[in-house]
Amino acid sequence: MQNIGSTILRVVLGIIFATHGFQKFQGGIGFTADYFDAIGIPGFMAYIVAIIELVGGVAIILGLGTRLIGALLTVTMIVAIFTAKLSVGFIGENGLAGYELDLALAAMALYFALAGASSFSLDAKLFDKE
């Protein structure tokens, strides 16, 4: 049952990240780069974050490179919390989202960075690991 639960969590996490990464490109990555510049992060980092989210999301869904991708996604969410979300609080205010979702996503990604993928993953199939 733990393998099934872990697989469901991994697929949902991957869908969320892949969707957010895709949205950054679809909405015009330049807008995201401008936002990054406005909050003090170099604009080129928007491309890196979008790629990590999109490609990392797909990789997490497949269970490929799960520990590495989990670590990258964890760092991405921690940086998002401290640079963009912390000032609006846990729940948010004035229509702005707080950092509760980012914190939950960071915790889920950290789980996979530490535990790896379940036996229902490409990591397990390719590297004979659980």
Side-chain angles (χ1 to χ4, degrees):
M1 289 304 255
Q2 184 176 357
N3 278 333
I4 294 170
S6 178
T7 301
I8 291 168
L9 185 65
R10 194 184 76 238
V11 169
V12 169
L13 181 67
I15 290 169
I16 292 169
F17 273 109
T19 301
H20 278 261
F22 180 74
Q23 181 255 345
K24 283 177 177 62
F25 285 112
Q26 185 181 34
I29 192 72
F31 292 115
T32 305
D34 291 343
Y35 173 71
F36 275 38
D37 279 329
I39 62 170
I41 299 172
F44 75 88
M45 290 298 295
Y47 295 89
I48 294 171
V49 168
I51 290 168
I52 289 171
E53 288 179 354
L54 179 60
V55 175
V58 172
I60 284 283
I61 290 168
L62 299 172
L64 184 61
T66 305
R67 288 181 188 268
L68 174 62
I69 299 299
L72 289 171
L73 294 173
T74 301
V75 169
T76 300
M77 289 295 92
I78 290 170
V79 170
I81 290 169
F82 283 100
T83 59
K85 299 290 185 91
L86 200 59
S87 63
V88 295
F90 184 74
I91 302 291
E93 56 187 35
N94 300 323
L96 297 174
Y99 62 87
E100 73 279 4
L101 176 62
D102 303 78
L103 185 61
L105 293 173
M108 288 188 280
L110 181 59
Y111 169 82
F112 290 108
L114 298 173
S118 68
S119 57
F120 305 124
S121 67
L122 285 180
D123 284 345
K125 302 303 179 225
L126 295 173
F127 306 111
D128 197 35
K129 293 181 184 176
E130 205 171 297

